[in-house]
Amino acid sequence: MYKAVLIDCSGHPSASRANNPFPGKFLVDALAKTIRTSRTSVWTNADDLSGHEMLRFFVDSPYEQAVAIVWVDSEADYDEANRQAKAYAKDHPGFPQVIESNDVRHFLWASEKDEDLEVARYLRGNTKIRASWFNEVNGLRCLADAQGFAVMADGNGASRAARAAQAHALAIAYQNALYDIANAISVAAKTPGPHAEATLSHVSCFMAGHYFGHPVLPNTRELRDFYGLLRDKQNIAEQFQEAVSQVERLAQVVRESRRDAERRERIATQDRKELQKEQQETRDKKLTKRLNWLNALVALAGLAGVTQITPEGLDKWWTAWTGTKSVETTTAAPAPMPDRNSHTTKIDTGKEKPRERRGS
């Protein structure tokens, strides 16, 4: 019997230390290349499973997930397994400081001889279980739900158990990623614009490059059936379809947002053009006015250089230029001043000057 506690370590910085290529050959190549792993022990058919394996899924994606598989005592019950896993996490990097109950899932590789009641106690911490909850997968009795995954096998095989636990970790990673995507889309839909477009791009890339409805290779029939059971019982396919619907709605929001932005840009462009036109008209009017004054000055200067400026000439020029008559001004001509050099004395010829007598 092998027991493990799977812990969600997503978002913990130290989980990034898992940088080794994924050794499993049962996943499609495109998905396996986006998984990184690190182990504290080597697992073979002859070895007992111990230590832990840190798995990073969907590497280089905004929705990267990290799940640790911590192997615990085969005799531990539900509470004891949690206690051992949390104590182990404190002494090893990559685990969150606080592990909540929602961060924990349980895995059990048991024998057909083990009782269903023991399986229930380990997966759920209670005795509420029914025989109908078990499903036959590839000749094995299995139980899968939101709390964990149990396989009742005829023989104990460490490698088989380890691969089944990895398939369980993948199912948890898909669950968490789709949950994160649903939240991201919900937030983006409330803030249309660049953020919504970026979210739509990230989600679309994840679905195209990381999500596979059947990520397990068909030649590994046992693991393929295990994952199929986990996918169905944990409603991963339904989560994905819900995410697809959300993506379609978000795409509609993005399209409407783009149309609104384009409409606002057109209106703003038209307003700018009208403003520029008004400003140009104002500048043209000012320029015309200045040119008129300049022409007037040039004409006045030309007139002054050709003819003698007189009040009468200026009045005629102003009347012709402006169409209005200037104020008339009359100036009395001053009386001529006498010239001292040309002064004459009028002689009265009617009177004769008496002759001077020469002696008496």
Side-chain angles (χ1 to χ4, degrees):
M1 180 183 293
Y2 300 104
K3 293 181 179 180
V5 175
L6 281 68
I7 302 175
D8 178 15
C9 300
S10 303
H12 196 275
S14 298
S16 61
R17 297 181 182 180
N19 287 320
N20 298 323
F22 182 65
K25 302 297 183 181
F26 62 90
L27 296 177
V28 294
D29 189 60
L31 177 61
K33 287 182 177 179
T34 67
I35 302 176
R36 300 292 182 270
T37 182
S38 66
R39 293 178 179 177
T40 56
S41 63
V42 178
W43 303 341
T44 65
N45 289 326
D47 292 333
D48 290 334
L49 297 176
S50 61
H52 81 280
E53 180 179 26
M54 181 69 69
L55 291 166
R56 293 172 56 210
F57 297 92
F58 326 129
V59 174
D60 297 331
S61 164
Y63 308 107
E64 179 177 324
Q65 304 294 322
V67 180
I69 303 172
V70 181
W71 297 100
V72 297
D73 187 3
S74 60
E75 301 298 326
D77 60 12
Y78 180 88
D79 293 331
E80 176 62 18
N82 286 347
R83 189 195 66 77
Q84 290 183 15
K86 290 179 181 180
Y88 183 91
K90 290 181 179 179
D91 297 332
H92 293 81
F95 293 87
Q97 298 298 317
V98 178
I99 300 176
E100 304 290 346
S101 58
N102 292 333
D103 299 330
V104 173
R105 301 291 186 274
H106 291 78
F107 172 79
L108 172 65
W109 185 276
S111 171
E112 284 287 359
K113 299 179 180 179
D114 294 321
E115 298 180 358
D116 294 348
L117 184 60
E118 184 177 357
V119 173
R121 286 197 182 104
Y122 181 69
L123 289 188
R124 302 185 179 183
N126 57 50
T127 59
K128 296 179 180 179
I129 192 170
R130 298 176 184 176
S132 60
W133 293 352
F134 283 85
N135 296 89
E136 183 174 334
V137 177
N138 197 28
L140 303 176
R141 294 176 66 241
C142 301
L143 176 63
D145 59 15
Q147 302 299 320
F149 179 45
V151 179
M152 312 288 282
D154 290 333
N156 290 334
S159 295
R160 293 172 67 194
R163 288 195 296 271
Q166 291 170 343
H168 188 196
L170 174 60
I172 294 172
Y174 269 138
Q175 271 191 312
N176 293 341
L178 293 172
Y179 180 78
D180 292 344
I181 286 173
N183 286 337
I185 293 176
S186 177
V187 173
K190 299 175 183 177
T191 56
H195 175 68
E197 294 194 22
T199 300
L200 182 62
S201 176
H202 293 158
V203 172
S204 300
C205 289
F206 176 86
M207 291 182 171
H210 298 280
Y211 182 82
F212 297 88
H214 299 281
V216 181
L217 296 175
N219 60 340
T220 55
R221 181 179 176 182
E222 183 175 83
L223 287 176
R224 184 179 177 87
D225 293 341
F226 286 162
Y227 181 80
L229 178 63
L230 288 164
R231 180 196 61 213
D232 296 340
K233 292 297 183 178
Q234 296 181 0
N235 300 319
I236 295 175
E238 287 78 1
Q239 271 189 281
F240 177 75
Q241 291 301 323
E242 179 66 23
V244 170
S245 299
Q246 283 186 295
V247 168
E248 293 174 351
R249 292 192 290 270
L250 180 60
Q252 180 63 28
V253 171
V254 169
R255 286 193 294 269
E256 293 177 357
S257 177
R258 286 177 179 175
R259 284 196 295 266
D260 292 341
E262 291 173 356
R263 188 182 303 110
R264 289 192 298 269
E265 180 61 25
R266 287 196 301 270
I267 294 174
T269 301
Q270 185 64 29
D271 290 343
R272 286 195 298 269
K273 289 181 178 179
E274 292 179 357
L275 178 60
Q276 291 173 355
K277 182 179 179 181
E278 293 176 359
Q279 292 174 342
Q280 185 62 41
E281 290 176 352
T282 301
R283 288 193 294 267
D284 291 344
K285 290 178 180 179
K286 291 181 178 180
L287 180 60
T288 302
K289 185 176 180 180
R290 292 172 181 173
L291 289 175
N292 289 339
W293 278 106
L294 180 59
N295 291 333
L297 293 175
V298 170
L300 181 60
L303 181 62
V306 175
T307 63
Q308 182 179 5
I309 298 178
T310 64
E312 293 78 3
L314 183 61
D315 179 67
K316 292 180 180 180
W317 176 84
W318 182 263
T319 302
W321 183 260
T322 64
T324 59
K325 188 173 181 59
S326 63
V327 179
E328 293 184 357
T329 304
T330 58
T331 305
M337 297 293 293
D339 189 353
R340 291 180 296 177
N341 296 327
S342 62
H343 178 70
T344 59
T345 302
K346 187 175 181 181
I347 300 175
D348 187 1
T349 58
K351 294 181 180 180
E352 184 179 354
K353 184 177 178 181
R355 294 178 179 178
E356 186 178 352
R357 294 181 179 179
R358 296 180 180 178
S360 53

